[in-house]
Each structure stands twice: as structure tokens, then as C-alpha cells.
Amino acid sequence: SLFGELMAAPFVSILMGSDSDLPVMEKTCQILKKFDIPYEVRIYSAHRTPEDTKQFVVEAEDRGCAVFIAGAGLSAALPGVVAAYTTRPVIGVPIDTGPLQGVDALLSMVQMPPGIPVATVAIGSVGARNAGYLAAQMLGMIDESLAAKIKQERLDNAQIIRDKNEGLSI
């Protein structure tokens, strides 16, 4: 079963259309590392290497990929192409490039046709971090220890705010 397969060795596949997207997508990697989630990073282009992209997605799913994260700018077709070849969750990260600074990518990702969703996060580095958190939460549904780590981080973040309130002296 899929559940049994994912229990064995789930991982996240991170794709990006160009190596120029790497500084943003490294933020995703940092979050996954924080939670000890295995991942792989690859460069594939929806337009320049469509067949390679398809082959990678199909093979990654066969190897146990649980979540795909795809970063792309401009027309941002990559997350949609990934979603076309898998029923695993796909998270799109709009990269803040080009004359519209990622707004074009954001709109491209959120306007997927019915039945082929791409969960889309904020533009740029904040979105890349949230993609990592969202993937962790998805995997936390089948991994109680991971879910506990995520909950603990939320509690720790809340305490940081409480401590800052205590330290205010205006």
C-alpha cells in the first residue's frame, strides 16, 4: 500500500527550473534539514527538458517521494508539469525574478486547472521556507515524532514572542 511504502523511506523532491533559483530554494532545504527530512534537489525545466522532467517525477514517485516542491519564476510552468505526472502533493514556490518580481509566477501556479492542484506559497524566500514547513506537516501525518517536532517549534516560537513582550520597556 502507499501508506506502507511511505512509512519505509519517504523523502521530498525539490525541483527548480534553473540554478539561479538555488539561493531561494536553499531555504526549503534548511527547513527540511531542521526536521531531519530526507530530500533531493534537481534542476529540470518544464520547457527545455520536458521529457527529462516527466521521467524524473515518475521515477521519484516510484522511489518513495512523498512530496514534490517545485520552484520556478516567470511563466512558472514547472510545478504544474510536475503535478501533471503525479498524484502526490506538489508545492509551488514562486521565484521573485523577472520584471514582475514573481507575481507572474504566483498567478501561474495558483491558476491550475481543476484536478491538477499545486499548493502555492508566498513569493521568494519566505515561500521557500513555508514550502519546507508544509512538506514537514504533510509528512507529519504519517510520522508522529515529526509532528511532535513541528508542534514543539510552534510552542518555542510562541514563547519567543512572550519573552519579547516581557522585555519591552517603552
Side-chain angles (χ1 to χ4, degrees):
S1 76
L2 175 60
F3 185 75
E5 179 183 317
L6 291 178
M7 290 294 286
F11 65 93
V12 175
S13 287
I14 301 170
L15 295 87
M16 63 195 84
S18 168
D19 61 347
S20 64
D21 301 336
L22 189 55
V24 172
M25 298 309 293
E26 282 177 336
K27 304 298 183 192
T28 303
C29 300
Q30 291 169 1
I31 300 304
L32 297 175
K33 281 180 193 173
K34 177 192 297 195
F35 291 114
D36 298 316
I37 297 170
Y39 66 90
E40 60 188 10
V41 179
R42 299 288 186 275
I43 299 169
Y44 285 101
S45 170
H47 301 112
R48 294 180 295 257
T49 59
E51 290 300 319
D52 294 354
T53 303
K54 175 184 178 181
Q55 181 177 347
F56 174 79
V57 171
V58 169
E59 290 177 359
E61 186 173 316
D62 288 344
R63 290 185 287 113
C65 176
V67 180
F68 290 90
I69 299 174
L74 302 173
S75 71
L78 184 59
V81 167
V82 171
Y85 295 119
T86 186
T87 56
R88 304 282 164 84
V90 176
I91 303 168
V93 179
I95 304 295
D96 47 348
T97 59
L100 300 180
Q101 292 300 296
V103 173
D104 45 357
L106 171 69
L107 294 175
S108 176
M109 288 180 199
V110 299
Q111 293 295 335
M112 291 298 296
I116 313 291
V118 170
T120 306
V121 294
I123 297 169
S125 295
V126 169
R129 290 179 64 206
N130 275 341
Y133 281 110
L134 186 55
Q137 288 176 276
M138 290 172 177
L139 292 172
M141 293 173 55
I142 59 172
D143 181 339
E144 290 180 24
S145 66
L146 176 57
K149 288 180 189 177
I150 296 165
K151 285 180 185 178
Q152 187 59 54
E153 180 173 295
R154 293 257 181 117
L155 293 171
D156 294 345
N157 287 338
Q159 190 57 49
I160 289 169
I161 298 300
R162 290 183 190 106
D163 292 345
K164 288 182 180 184
N165 270 325
E166 293 294 320
L168 283 178
S169 59
I170 295 178

